[in-house]
Short mmCIF file of all heavy atoms in Angstrom, two decimals:
data_model
loop_
_atom_site.label_atom_id
_atom_site.label_comp_id
_atom_site.label_asym_id
_atom_site.label_seq_id
_atom_site.Cartn_x
_atom_site.Cartn_y
_atom_site.Cartn_z
N PRO U 465 2.08 26.10 -32.68
CA PRO U 465 2.51 26.42 -34.06
C PRO U 465 1.98 25.36 -35.03
O PRO U 465 2.08 24.16 -34.75
CB PRO U 465 4.05 26.39 -33.96
CG PRO U 465 4.33 25.55 -32.77
CD PRO U 465 3.21 25.80 -31.80
N PRO U 466 1.44 25.76 -36.15
CA PRO U 466 0.91 24.78 -37.12
C PRO U 466 2.01 23.87 -37.66
O PRO U 466 1.74 22.73 -38.03
CB PRO U 466 0.31 25.66 -38.21
CG PRO U 466 0.96 27.00 -38.05
CD PRO U 466 1.25 27.15 -36.59
N GLU U 467 3.26 24.36 -37.70
CA GLU U 467 4.35 23.53 -38.20
C GLU U 467 4.53 22.27 -37.35
O GLU U 467 4.95 21.23 -37.86
CB GLU U 467 5.67 24.32 -38.21
CG GLU U 467 5.77 25.38 -39.30
CD GLU U 467 5.02 26.65 -38.90
OE1 GLU U 467 4.55 26.74 -37.73
OE2 GLU U 467 4.89 27.55 -39.74
N LEU U 468 4.22 22.38 -36.06
CA LEU U 468 4.41 21.23 -35.17
C LEU U 468 3.48 20.09 -35.55
O LEU U 468 3.88 18.93 -35.59
CB LEU U 468 4.18 21.65 -33.71
CG LEU U 468 4.52 20.61 -32.65
CD1 LEU U 468 5.99 20.26 -32.70
CD2 LEU U 468 4.15 21.13 -31.25
N ALA U 469 2.21 20.41 -35.81
CA ALA U 469 1.26 19.37 -36.18
C ALA U 469 1.44 18.90 -37.62
O ALA U 469 1.26 17.72 -37.93
CB ALA U 469 -0.17 19.89 -35.97
N ASP U 470 1.87 19.84 -38.51
CA ASP U 470 1.94 19.50 -39.93
C ASP U 470 3.25 18.82 -40.32
O ASP U 470 3.27 17.88 -41.12
CB ASP U 470 1.75 20.76 -40.77
CG ASP U 470 0.35 21.36 -40.57
OD1 ASP U 470 -0.55 20.60 -40.13
OD2 ASP U 470 0.18 22.56 -40.82
N HIS U 471 4.38 19.31 -39.74
CA HIS U 471 5.69 18.87 -40.23
C HIS U 471 6.58 18.25 -39.15
O HIS U 471 7.58 17.61 -39.50
CB HIS U 471 6.44 20.05 -40.87
CG HIS U 471 5.65 20.74 -41.93
ND1 HIS U 471 5.33 20.13 -43.14
CD2 HIS U 471 5.07 21.98 -41.97
CE1 HIS U 471 4.61 20.97 -43.88
NE2 HIS U 471 4.42 22.11 -43.19
N GLY U 472 6.28 18.47 -37.89
CA GLY U 472 7.09 17.83 -36.85
C GLY U 472 7.91 18.81 -36.03
O GLY U 472 7.84 20.03 -36.20
N ILE U 473 8.73 18.26 -35.14
CA ILE U 473 9.42 19.07 -34.15
C ILE U 473 10.51 19.95 -34.75
O ILE U 473 10.69 21.10 -34.34
CB ILE U 473 10.01 18.15 -33.04
CG1 ILE U 473 10.62 18.99 -31.91
CG2 ILE U 473 11.01 17.17 -33.60
CD1 ILE U 473 9.64 19.86 -31.19
N VAL U 474 11.26 19.44 -35.75
CA VAL U 474 12.38 20.22 -36.29
C VAL U 474 11.89 21.48 -37.01
O VAL U 474 12.37 22.58 -36.74
CB VAL U 474 13.27 19.35 -37.20
CG1 VAL U 474 14.37 20.20 -37.84
CG2 VAL U 474 13.88 18.20 -36.41
N PRO U 475 10.90 21.39 -37.93
CA PRO U 475 10.39 22.62 -38.55
C PRO U 475 9.77 23.58 -37.53
O PRO U 475 9.91 24.80 -37.67
CB PRO U 475 9.33 22.10 -39.54
CG PRO U 475 9.76 20.70 -39.86
CD PRO U 475 10.34 20.18 -38.58
N ALA U 476 9.10 23.03 -36.51
CA ALA U 476 8.50 23.89 -35.49
C ALA U 476 9.56 24.66 -34.72
O ALA U 476 9.42 25.85 -34.43
CB ALA U 476 7.65 23.06 -34.54
N LEU U 477 10.66 23.98 -34.34
CA LEU U 477 11.75 24.66 -33.63
C LEU U 477 12.43 25.68 -34.54
O LEU U 477 12.86 26.76 -34.08
CB LEU U 477 12.76 23.64 -33.11
CG LEU U 477 12.28 22.71 -31.99
CD1 LEU U 477 13.39 21.74 -31.61
CD2 LEU U 477 11.85 23.52 -30.77
#
Side-chain angles (χ1 to χ4, degrees):
E467 287 80 7
L468 187 62
D470 296 339
H471 306 292
I473 185 63
V474 176
L477 291 179

